[in-house]
Amino acid sequence: MFQSFSEKSNPEQGAPRLKLLRAVMKTAELDGWLVPRADVHQGEYVAPGNERLAWLTGFTGSAGFAAVTENQAGVFVDGRYRTQVRNQIDAAAYQPVDWPETKLADWLKHALPEGGRLGFDPWLHTAKEIADLSDALEGSGIAPVAHGNLVDKIWPDRPAPPTGAITTYPNALAGKTSAAKRAELAETLRKAGHRAAILTLPDSIAWLLNIRGADIPRNPVPHAFAILHDDARVEIYVHPAKLDKLPDTCTAGGVTAHPDTGFAAAVTLLLSPVRVDPASIPVAIVAALEEAAIKPSFAADPCILPKACKTGAEIAATREAHLRDGAALCEFLTWFDEQAPGTITEIDVVTEVEKARRAAGKLLDISFDTIAGSGPNGALAHYRVSEASNRTLEDGDLLVLDGGGQYLDGTTDITRTLPVGNVGDAERAAFTRVLQGMIAISRLRFPNGLAGRDIDAIARYPLWLADQDYAHGTGHGVGVYLCVHEGPQRISRASDVALHPGMILSNEPGYYREGHFGIRIENLLVVQPAPPLPGSDPADSAEGRLSFETLNFVPIDRRLIRRDMLSQGEADWLDAYHKACREKIAPHLTPAAADWLTQAAAPI
């Protein structure tokens, strides 16, 4: 099994570890300390040795941070994790803080004395983050102070840095050679007048060099730093243990490899100006540049947008990965429908799903720990079942099943909400509203230039009519055998990044009633040019329209749908989608699963 079910949270250790942290804060003459969920690469995913937030507080969510003072310790989380954080921290030691509604600076102004010294590790915070915090604290007398990491001082058995192997990613699947990518980005640097760009994000480096790694669970990326020069040369900096194992293709044609211990010194030898992304560059690197009189030029990581806009080869490959994954899910669902309520648990579900994905022999990892939340556990949007939380699926439950696979030709992610026995009317009505929002995004045609924030409300509209909503974004970007969460594109109120052809996004509205049930329905989509419509306005046609192509093909459970709530257009979309499921997936199924699919994907 890729997934384990051990309990990762230790809230009982929160108070004694907090006491130790406060002791070293006092020795360092600091009044406060920030504990982010971040590593030196500033990506979303971190290795075990960088799980400082979880180690200190017990909170294991994938986003959040803590702020500790002499008398207070706040754990800041967004709407996805507010129930989870209460279950995982010692309430006598830590206080959950609703973020971003409560701003860190405002909290600090009340928690720290005037003139207080707020310590932070400059390798674990971005330049933008600290600049914004400093601006917000202006006039308070509170000063952010860069300092060596205090949590590391009190973590005696902290895991060592990962040294996973780096492997070559096939050019045929990437659709473009590393040399071609480097040449294109070097031209971008020259046009902007930048002599070099510093890259810290592991997935950017993996994409640029057509390599993959094994340093982060569920994400095939290497821990590395890189410098891209304006003549297309690249210097990559990796753990010394990896240097002798690098594939020849990784260090050919203008790419040289060095130990990562030399990275900080190497940046001080660059010529000005040097491009750095304020959203991902550690403060420590900006400080090193400025001390060496090298001008940092703040601009987006040059890999981010090209990586997000997939090549034709990447899109073709990921289609194949989704057909394979869809067949596996249909095999699982055939098994699931044969189980009587009260006879299986959430762990049984996760185990059987992974077994189905493994059966084709192409699964390299799961793309994230599978979410299988039944009843009240389904109301936790990012629930992870453990031996302690494992629950038997009972009659009347809803099961939120969200998971995906890492295949060489693609990264998959799909959510289906499933009934266990006879489900109530409130659940079916809410499910139908979520489905209406998911269909609305799937059917959407929209002008070039719109961003995720411009279309997010479309998915929420059916829920809003019933005063319901969900506290997460509608969709995130997805890589191709890279990270299942990939920027810069999102379908979210917070996203101002324009959508472009080739971008892959999730479409996953939901609804969560705390203590009772959860609902989420998710497919992945790829942005495509929309074909012109007969009778469309000529000006609109000239500007162009975009639309979405659906990548996942697994039936949506018709037993949970209130047909009387669907419009004819929505019902037509659902029937066409289910017809595509039958045509695309049936050839890959066992006879029993093919029979199940015929019934599950019948017209509504």
Side-chain angles (χ1 to χ4, degrees):
M1 287 286 294
F2 286 117
Q3 187 160 335
S4 69
F5 305 104
S6 59
E7 182 55 64
K8 295 184 177 181
S9 178
N10 295 301
E12 68 279 359
Q13 295 293 324
R17 290 171 179 173
L18 181 60
K19 183 178 180 180
L20 290 173
L21 177 59
R22 284 175 168 150
V24 294
M25 283 168 51
K26 186 174 182 180
T27 300
E29 299 182 338
L30 295 171
D31 301 295
W33 184 257
L34 295 179
V35 185
R37 189 188 182 276
D39 64 13
V40 298
H41 302 284
Q42 294 299 325
E44 178 181 353
Y45 305 97
V46 300
N50 294 307
E51 291 277 10
R52 297 176 180 86
L53 181 64
W55 181 85
L56 180 70
T57 68
F59 171 63
T60 63
S62 64
F65 60 93
V68 175
T69 69
E70 181 181 358
N71 299 310
Q72 297 187 56
V75 182
F76 292 68
V77 297
D78 62 30
R80 297 170 293 173
Y81 297 108
R82 286 172 188 164
T83 301
Q84 178 178 333
V85 73
R86 292 197 299 269
N87 293 334
Q88 289 189 322
I89 63 174
D90 180 348
Y94 297 93
Q95 302 80 48
V97 180
D98 291 350
W99 178 86
E101 293 86 345
T102 299
K103 306 299 183 186
L104 173 60
D106 294 337
W107 188 90
L108 290 169
K109 289 173 185 177
H110 289 93
L112 287 174
E114 185 176 353
R117 287 163 48 86
L118 174 69
F120 69 94
D121 184 338
W123 282 97
L124 302 185
H125 296 267
T126 68
K128 183 179 188 305
E129 183 183 356
I130 296 303
D132 289 348
L133 179 60
S134 298
D135 289 345
L137 289 171
E138 189 173 357
S140 69
I142 299 171
V145 178
H147 196 282
N149 197 286
L150 297 186
V151 174
D152 294 356
K153 287 180 176 292
I154 62 172
W155 189 351
D157 56 349
R158 180 175 166 235
T163 56
I166 292 177
T167 56
T168 301
Y169 191 67
N171 291 336
L173 294 179
K176 189 175 291 187
T177 66
S178 172
K181 294 176 182 179
R182 287 184 275 119
E184 290 174 5
L185 295 194
E187 176 66 16
T188 299
L189 295 183
R190 291 193 295 271
K191 286 181 177 178
H194 298 148
R195 300 301 304 271
I198 296 175
L199 308 177
T200 66
L201 293 173
D203 58 331
S204 287
I205 297 167
W207 173 85
L208 178 63
L209 299 181
N210 281 356
I211 58 175
R212 297 297 187 265
D215 287 331
I216 303 293
R218 316 292 176 249
N219 298 276
V221 296
H223 268 174
F225 297 104
I227 299 172
L228 168 66
H229 296 271
D230 64 354
D231 60 1
R233 289 181 299 112
V234 168
E235 296 172 86
I236 181 173
Y237 294 82
V238 298
H239 192 286
K242 300 179 187 178
L243 283 175
D244 293 336
K245 306 173 187 176
L246 290 176
D248 292 340
T249 52
C250 182
T251 54
V255 181
T256 56
H258 311 275
D260 58 6
T261 50
F263 174 66
V267 303
T268 67
L269 303 177
L270 298 174
L271 298 176
S272 294
V274 175
R275 181 169 177 153
V276 293
D277 189 333
S280 59
I281 193 73
V283 173
I285 295 300
V286 175
L289 291 171
E290 292 175 340
E291 288 173 11
I294 299 170
K295 179 184 177 183
S297 181
F298 293 104
D301 176 337
C303 301
I304 291 290
L305 190 58
K307 172 166 57 69
C309 298
K310 312 305 178 195
T311 65
E314 286 176 312
I315 294 171
T318 205
R319 288 189 188 112
E320 291 300 313
H322 280 85
L323 291 179
R324 185 185 312 118
D325 198 72
L329 263 291
C330 287
E331 296 286 354
F332 160 79
L333 291 170
T334 302
W335 171 87
F336 180 82
D337 276 358
E338 294 171 348
Q339 313 308 309
T343 63
I344 60 172
T345 68
E346 294 166 340
I347 287 179
D348 294 331
V349 168
V350 173
T351 302
E352 195 68 24
V353 168
E354 185 169 321
K355 177 182 174 183
R357 284 194 163 104
R358 283 180 176 273
K362 298 288 184 72
L363 185 71
L364 300 178
D365 198 345
I366 51 179
S367 55
F368 56 97
D369 281 354
T370 301
I371 297 168
S374 64
N377 289 342
L380 303 172
H382 283 205
Y383 171 70
R384 174 189 173 272
V385 60
S386 68
E387 292 167 354
S389 71
N390 189 31
R391 186 177 180 278
T392 299
L393 278 58
E394 302 289 355
D395 185 55
D397 282 348
L398 290 179
L399 173 71
V400 177
L401 180 63
D402 185 356
Q406 290 284 14
Y407 306 95
L408 189 65
D409 50 2
T411 299
T412 68
D413 183 4
I414 184 170
T415 308
R416 290 295 182 263
T417 300
L418 308 173
V420 182
N422 297 309
V423 174
D425 289 340
E427 288 89 335
R428 294 179 65 240
F431 179 91
T432 306
R433 294 185 192 104
V434 172
L435 175 61
Q436 288 175 306
M438 183 261 201
I439 291 174
I441 294 293
S442 302
R443 298 174 66 192
L444 192 62
R445 295 171 59 93
F446 54 98
N448 269 305
L450 292 194
R453 68 183 180 191
D454 300 316
I455 64 174
D456 177 79
I458 292 170
R460 301 176 190 271
Y461 175 68
L463 287 161
W464 284 351
L465 290 177
D467 286 342
Q468 296 175 340
D469 204 351
Y470 47 97
H472 55 74
T474 299
H476 55 83
V478 180
V480 175
Y481 193 48
L482 279 173
C483 299
V484 74
H485 287 174
E486 179 182 272
Q489 75 277 18
R490 289 184 291 164
I491 304 177
S492 162
R493 301 170 188 174
S495 179
D496 59 359
V497 175
L499 301 179
H500 297 281
M503 288 180 167
I504 297 176
L505 300 114
S506 66
N507 172 18
E508 50 181 312
Y511 176 67
Y512 311 90
R513 185 169 293 178
E514 185 175 346
H516 296 278
F517 64 86
I519 297 165
R520 188 162 62 251
I521 310 171
E522 175 191 17
N523 280 340
L524 297 192
L525 311 172
V526 58
V527 181
Q528 298 280 24
L533 293 175
S536 61
D537 186 90
D540 289 344
S541 299
E543 179 185 339
R545 288 288 184 269
L546 299 175
S547 61
F548 293 117
E549 173 194 339
T550 297
L551 294 171
N552 305 82
F553 293 97
V554 174
I556 296 164
D557 205 299
R558 293 179 303 124
R559 293 168 292 187
L560 290 173
I561 300 172
R562 283 268 307 269
R563 172 62 183 87
D564 61 302
M565 292 174 61
L566 296 183
S567 69
Q568 189 58 49
E570 290 165 341
D572 290 345
W573 181 92
L574 186 65
D575 284 345
Y577 175 72
H578 280 158
K579 181 174 183 288
C581 290
R582 297 193 304 271
E583 293 174 350
K584 292 176 179 290
I585 302 298
H588 305 281
L589 299 177
T590 60
D595 289 343
W596 173 89
L597 178 61
T598 298
Q599 298 177 45
I604 196 166

